[in-house]
PDB file of all heavy atoms in Angstrom:
ATOM      1  N   SER B 383      -7.229  21.235  -8.885  1.00 86.00           N
ATOM      2  CA  SER B 383      -6.058  22.025  -8.434  1.00 86.00           C
ATOM      3  C   SER B 383      -5.069  21.152  -7.708  1.00 86.00           C
ATOM      4  O   SER B 383      -3.847  21.354  -7.865  1.00 86.00           O
ATOM      5  CB  SER B 383      -6.524  23.233  -7.572  1.00 86.00           C
ATOM      6  OG  SER B 383      -7.010  22.756  -6.376  1.00 86.00           O
ATOM      7  N   ALA B 384      -5.566  20.161  -6.962  1.00 84.00           N
ATOM      8  CA  ALA B 384      -4.645  19.267  -6.262  1.00 84.00           C
ATOM      9  C   ALA B 384      -3.912  18.385  -7.284  1.00 84.00           C
ATOM     10  O   ALA B 384      -2.737  18.111  -7.128  1.00 84.00           O
ATOM     11  CB  ALA B 384      -5.403  18.365  -5.301  1.00 84.00           C
ATOM     12  N   ARG B 385      -4.618  17.970  -8.358  1.00 87.00           N
ATOM     13  CA  ARG B 385      -3.968  17.182  -9.415  1.00 87.00           C
ATOM     14  C   ARG B 385      -2.813  18.008 -10.043  1.00 87.00           C
ATOM     15  O   ARG B 385      -1.751  17.478 -10.227  1.00 87.00           O
ATOM     16  CB  ARG B 385      -4.984  16.850 -10.507  1.00 87.00           C
ATOM     17  CG  ARG B 385      -6.023  15.877 -10.106  1.00 87.00           C
ATOM     18  CD  ARG B 385      -7.054  15.700 -11.158  1.00 87.00           C
ATOM     19  NE  ARG B 385      -6.543  15.091 -12.334  1.00 87.00           N
ATOM     20  CZ  ARG B 385      -7.232  14.958 -13.495  1.00 87.00           C
ATOM     21  NH1 ARG B 385      -8.450  15.423 -13.569  1.00 87.00           N
ATOM     22  NH2 ARG B 385      -6.720  14.370 -14.516  1.00 87.00           N
ATOM     23  N   LYS B 386      -3.157  19.236 -10.314  1.00 89.00           N
ATOM     24  CA  LYS B 386      -2.118  20.109 -10.923  1.00 89.00           C
ATOM     25  C   LYS B 386      -0.890  20.234 -10.015  1.00 89.00           C
ATOM     26  O   LYS B 386       0.238  20.136 -10.484  1.00 89.00           O
ATOM     27  CB  LYS B 386      -2.763  21.502 -11.196  1.00 89.00           C
ATOM     28  CG  LYS B 386      -2.005  22.281 -12.207  1.00 89.00           C
ATOM     29  CD  LYS B 386      -2.913  23.319 -12.862  1.00 89.00           C
ATOM     30  CE  LYS B 386      -2.036  24.354 -13.626  1.00 89.00           C
ATOM     31  NZ  LYS B 386      -1.798  25.573 -12.879  1.00 89.00           N
ATOM     32  N   ALA B 387      -1.168  20.421  -8.733  1.00 87.00           N
ATOM     33  CA  ALA B 387      -0.081  20.581  -7.774  1.00 87.00           C
ATOM     34  C   ALA B 387       0.826  19.343  -7.742  1.00 87.00           C
ATOM     35  O   ALA B 387       2.036  19.437  -7.812  1.00 87.00           O
ATOM     36  CB  ALA B 387      -0.619  20.868  -6.390  1.00 87.00           C
ATOM     37  N   VAL B 388       0.189  18.150  -7.725  1.00 87.00           N
ATOM     38  CA  VAL B 388       0.977  16.922  -7.713  1.00 87.00           C
ATOM     39  C   VAL B 388       1.879  16.869  -8.940  1.00 87.00           C
ATOM     40  O   VAL B 388       3.085  16.608  -8.834  1.00 87.00           O
ATOM     41  CB  VAL B 388       0.055  15.681  -7.673  1.00 87.00           C
ATOM     42  CG1 VAL B 388       0.838  14.428  -7.964  1.00 87.00           C
ATOM     43  CG2 VAL B 388      -0.659  15.590  -6.325  1.00 87.00           C
ATOM     44  N   TRP B 389       1.321  17.170 -10.111  1.00 91.00           N
ATOM     45  CA  TRP B 389       2.111  17.041 -11.323  1.00 91.00           C
ATOM     46  C   TRP B 389       3.181  18.126 -11.453  1.00 91.00           C
ATOM     47  O   TRP B 389       4.277  17.851 -11.969  1.00 91.00           O
ATOM     48  CB  TRP B 389       1.207  17.082 -12.539  1.00 91.00           C
ATOM     49  CG  TRP B 389       0.689  15.689 -12.854  1.00 91.00           C
ATOM     50  CD1 TRP B 389      -0.571  15.263 -12.660  1.00 91.00           C
ATOM     51  CD2 TRP B 389       1.464  14.574 -13.310  1.00 91.00           C
ATOM     52  NE1 TRP B 389      -0.635  13.912 -12.997  1.00 91.00           N
ATOM     53  CE2 TRP B 389       0.570  13.491 -13.420  1.00 91.00           C
ATOM     54  CE3 TRP B 389       2.791  14.389 -13.686  1.00 91.00           C
ATOM     55  CZ2 TRP B 389       0.984  12.206 -13.847  1.00 91.00           C
ATOM     56  CZ3 TRP B 389       3.208  13.157 -14.114  1.00 91.00           C
ATOM     57  CH2 TRP B 389       2.311  12.105 -14.191  1.00 91.00           C
ATOM     58  N   GLU B 390       2.907  19.293 -10.962  1.00 90.00           N
ATOM     59  CA  GLU B 390       3.933  20.333 -10.996  1.00 90.00           C
ATOM     60  C   GLU B 390       5.155  19.900 -10.203  1.00 90.00           C
ATOM     61  O   GLU B 390       6.293  20.027 -10.622  1.00 90.00           O
ATOM     62  CB  GLU B 390       3.387  21.659 -10.438  1.00 90.00           C
ATOM     63  CG  GLU B 390       2.704  22.474 -11.497  1.00 90.00           C
ATOM     64  CD  GLU B 390       1.909  23.641 -10.889  1.00 90.00           C
ATOM     65  OE1 GLU B 390       2.016  23.872  -9.657  1.00 90.00           O
ATOM     66  OE2 GLU B 390       1.230  24.321 -11.676  1.00 90.00           O
ATOM     67  N   ARG B 391       4.861  19.319  -8.994  1.00 86.00           N
ATOM     68  CA  ARG B 391       5.958  18.866  -8.150  1.00 86.00           C
ATOM     69  C   ARG B 391       6.733  17.728  -8.796  1.00 86.00           C
ATOM     70  O   ARG B 391       7.927  17.629  -8.717  1.00 86.00           O
ATOM     71  CB  ARG B 391       5.439  18.410  -6.778  1.00 86.00           C
ATOM     72  CG  ARG B 391       4.620  19.387  -6.102  1.00 86.00           C
ATOM     73  CD  ARG B 391       5.460  20.500  -5.538  1.00 86.00           C
ATOM     74  NE  ARG B 391       4.673  21.532  -4.899  1.00 86.00           N
ATOM     75  CZ  ARG B 391       5.216  22.566  -4.283  1.00 86.00           C
ATOM     76  NH1 ARG B 391       6.510  22.722  -4.234  1.00 86.00           N
ATOM     77  NH2 ARG B 391       4.448  23.448  -3.715  1.00 86.00           N
ATOM     78  N   LEU B 392       5.976  16.792  -9.445  1.00 89.00           N
ATOM     79  CA  LEU B 392       6.644  15.680 -10.092  1.00 89.00           C
ATOM     80  C   LEU B 392       7.529  16.117 -11.245  1.00 89.00           C
ATOM     81  O   LEU B 392       8.624  15.662 -11.446  1.00 89.00           O
ATOM     82  CB  LEU B 392       5.608  14.665 -10.582  1.00 89.00           C
ATOM     83  CG  LEU B 392       4.908  13.817  -9.530  1.00 89.00           C
ATOM     84  CD1 LEU B 392       3.794  13.020 -10.136  1.00 89.00           C
ATOM     85  CD2 LEU B 392       5.931  12.882  -8.875  1.00 89.00           C
ATOM     86  N   SER B 393       7.054  17.118 -12.012  1.00 89.00           N
ATOM     87  CA  SER B 393       7.835  17.618 -13.087  1.00 89.00           C
ATOM     88  C   SER B 393       9.127  18.228 -12.663  1.00 89.00           C
ATOM     89  O   SER B 393      10.176  18.045 -13.277  1.00 89.00           O
ATOM     90  CB  SER B 393       7.057  18.673 -13.916  1.00 89.00           C
ATOM     91  OG  SER B 393       5.734  18.239 -14.156  1.00 89.00           O
ATOM     92  N   ILE B 394       9.050  18.960 -11.558  1.00 88.00           N
ATOM     93  CA  ILE B 394      10.290  19.563 -11.007  1.00 88.00           C
ATOM     94  C   ILE B 394      11.292  18.490 -10.678  1.00 88.00           C
ATOM     95  O   ILE B 394      12.453  18.546 -11.001  1.00 88.00           O
ATOM     96  CB  ILE B 394       9.968  20.437  -9.810  1.00 88.00           C
ATOM     97  CG1 ILE B 394       9.092  21.625 -10.207  1.00 88.00           C
ATOM     98  CG2 ILE B 394      11.242  20.925  -9.114  1.00 88.00           C
ATOM     99  CD1 ILE B 394       8.536  22.428  -9.070  1.00 88.00           C
ATOM    100  N   PHE B 395      10.794  17.435  -9.972  1.00 88.00           N
ATOM    101  CA  PHE B 395      11.649  16.354  -9.545  1.00 88.00           C
ATOM    102  C   PHE B 395      12.307  15.707 -10.773  1.00 88.00           C
ATOM    103  O   PHE B 395      13.511  15.416 -10.794  1.00 88.00           O
ATOM    104  CB  PHE B 395      10.906  15.284  -8.783  1.00 88.00           C
ATOM    105  CG  PHE B 395      11.708  14.039  -8.535  1.00 88.00           C
ATOM    106  CD1 PHE B 395      12.678  14.013  -7.547  1.00 88.00           C
ATOM    107  CD2 PHE B 395      11.505  12.902  -9.334  1.00 88.00           C
ATOM    108  CE1 PHE B 395      13.436  12.853  -7.345  1.00 88.00           C
ATOM    109  CE2 PHE B 395      12.266  11.777  -9.131  1.00 88.00           C
ATOM    110  CZ  PHE B 395      13.214  11.751  -8.163  1.00 88.00           C
ATOM    111  N   ARG B 396      11.509  15.468 -11.824  1.00 89.00           N
ATOM    112  CA  ARG B 396      12.021  14.798 -13.008  1.00 89.00           C
ATOM    113  C   ARG B 396      13.098  15.632 -13.669  1.00 89.00           C
ATOM    114  O   ARG B 396      14.150  15.133 -14.101  1.00 89.00           O
ATOM    115  CB  ARG B 396      10.897  14.525 -13.954  1.00 89.00           C
ATOM    116  CG  ARG B 396      11.347  13.598 -15.088  1.00 89.00           C
ATOM    117  CD  ARG B 396      10.152  13.274 -15.980  1.00 89.00           C
ATOM    118  NE  ARG B 396       9.813  14.380 -16.784  1.00 89.00           N
ATOM    119  CZ  ARG B 396      10.169  14.516 -18.043  1.00 89.00           C
ATOM    120  NH1 ARG B 396      10.960  13.603 -18.610  1.00 89.00           N
ATOM    121  NH2 ARG B 396       9.818  15.540 -18.752  1.00 89.00           N
ATOM    122  N   LYS B 397      12.856  16.943 -13.756  1.00 88.00           N
ATOM    123  CA  LYS B 397      13.848  17.827 -14.399  1.00 88.00           C
ATOM    124  C   LYS B 397      15.156  17.791 -13.642  1.00 88.00           C
ATOM    125  O   LYS B 397      16.228  17.745 -14.222  1.00 88.00           O
ATOM    126  CB  LYS B 397      13.295  19.269 -14.467  1.00 88.00           C
ATOM    127  CG  LYS B 397      12.419  19.480 -15.672  1.00 88.00           C
ATOM    128  CD  LYS B 397      12.274  20.993 -15.983  1.00 88.00           C
ATOM    129  CE  LYS B 397      11.055  21.185 -16.876  1.00 88.00           C
ATOM    130  NZ  LYS B 397       9.906  21.680 -16.122  1.00 88.00           N
ATOM    131  N   GLU B 398      15.055  17.781 -12.305  1.00 87.00           N
ATOM    132  CA  GLU B 398      16.299  17.831 -11.496  1.00 87.00           C
ATOM    133  C   GLU B 398      17.051  16.541 -11.505  1.00 87.00           C
ATOM    134  O   GLU B 398      18.268  16.523 -11.379  1.00 87.00           O
ATOM    135  CB  GLU B 398      15.920  18.258 -10.069  1.00 87.00           C
ATOM    136  CG  GLU B 398      15.571  19.721  -9.969  1.00 87.00           C
ATOM    137  CD  GLU B 398      15.097  20.138  -8.549  1.00 87.00           C
ATOM    138  OE1 GLU B 398      15.016  19.239  -7.687  1.00 87.00           O
ATOM    139  OE2 GLU B 398      14.793  21.312  -8.380  1.00 87.00           O
ATOM    140  N   ASN B 399      16.307  15.411 -11.588  1.00 86.00           N
ATOM    141  CA  ASN B 399      16.968  14.125 -11.412  1.00 86.00           C
ATOM    142  C   ASN B 399      17.004  13.239 -12.667  1.00 86.00           C
ATOM    143  O   ASN B 399      17.595  12.182 -12.650  1.00 86.00           O
ATOM    144  CB  ASN B 399      16.278  13.337 -10.298  1.00 86.00           C
ATOM    145  CG  ASN B 399      16.483  14.022  -8.949  1.00 86.00           C
ATOM    146  OD1 ASN B 399      17.560  13.793  -8.331  1.00 86.00           O
ATOM    147  ND2 ASN B 399      15.583  14.843  -8.542  1.00 86.00           N
ATOM    148  N   GLY B 400      16.327  13.680 -13.719  1.00 88.00           N
ATOM    149  CA  GLY B 400      16.298  12.913 -14.948  1.00 88.00           C
ATOM    150  C   GLY B 400      15.726  11.507 -14.793  1.00 88.00           C
ATOM    151  O   GLY B 400      16.198  10.573 -15.457  1.00 88.00           O
ATOM    152  N   ALA B 401      14.776  11.342 -13.909  1.00 91.00           N
ATOM    153  CA  ALA B 401      14.194  10.033 -13.704  1.00 91.00           C
ATOM    154  C   ALA B 401      13.128   9.734 -14.749  1.00 91.00           C
ATOM    155  O   ALA B 401      12.626  10.611 -15.388  1.00 91.00           O
ATOM    156  CB  ALA B 401      13.550   9.979 -12.303  1.00 91.00           C
ATOM    157  N   THR B 402      12.832   8.442 -14.896  1.00 94.00           N
ATOM    158  CA  THR B 402      11.768   7.997 -15.770  1.00 94.00           C
ATOM    159  C   THR B 402      10.486   7.910 -14.927  1.00 94.00           C
ATOM    160  O   THR B 402      10.536   7.453 -13.773  1.00 94.00           O
ATOM    161  CB  THR B 402      12.061   6.571 -16.312  1.00 94.00           C
ATOM    162  OG1 THR B 402      13.359   6.580 -16.825  1.00 94.00           O
ATOM    163  CG2 THR B 402      11.076   6.184 -17.381  1.00 94.00           C
ATOM    164  N   ILE B 403       9.377   8.373 -15.510  1.00 94.00           N
ATOM    165  CA  ILE B 403       8.117   8.231 -14.782  1.00 94.00           C
ATOM    166  C   ILE B 403       7.162   7.374 -15.623  1.00 94.00           C
ATOM    167  O   ILE B 403       6.966   7.614 -16.806  1.00 94.00           O
ATOM    168  CB  ILE B 403       7.456   9.613 -14.516  1.00 94.00           C
ATOM    169  CG1 ILE B 403       8.344  10.443 -13.566  1.00 94.00           C
ATOM    170  CG2 ILE B 403       6.051   9.448 -13.893  1.00 94.00           C
ATOM    171  CD1 ILE B 403       7.781  11.808 -13.195  1.00 94.00           C
ATOM    172  N   PHE B 404       6.644   6.320 -15.019  1.00 96.00           N
ATOM    173  CA  PHE B 404       5.705   5.455 -15.701  1.00 96.00           C
ATOM    174  C   PHE B 404       4.415   5.534 -14.880  1.00 96.00           C
ATOM    175  O   PHE B 404       4.405   5.201 -13.699  1.00 96.00           O
ATOM    176  CB  PHE B 404       6.284   4.027 -15.668  1.00 96.00           C
ATOM    177  CG  PHE B 404       5.411   2.989 -16.369  1.00 96.00           C
ATOM    178  CD1 PHE B 404       5.808   2.509 -17.637  1.00 96.00           C
ATOM    179  CD2 PHE B 404       4.226   2.529 -15.830  1.00 96.00           C
ATOM    180  CE1 PHE B 404       5.015   1.552 -18.289  1.00 96.00           C
ATOM    181  CE2 PHE B 404       3.462   1.582 -16.491  1.00 96.00           C
ATOM    182  CZ  PHE B 404       3.827   1.088 -17.730  1.00 96.00           C
TER     183      PHE B 404
END
Side-chain angles (χ1 to χ4, degrees):
Chain B
S383 69
R385 290 173 67 187
K386 199 157 166 262
V388 168
W389 275 108
E390 273 169 5
R391 306 287 178 176
L392 285 172
S393 312
I394 294 170
F395 170 78
R396 190 175 75 98
K397 274 198 200 104
E398 286 173 359
N399 293 277
T402 311
I403 295 181
F404 183 106

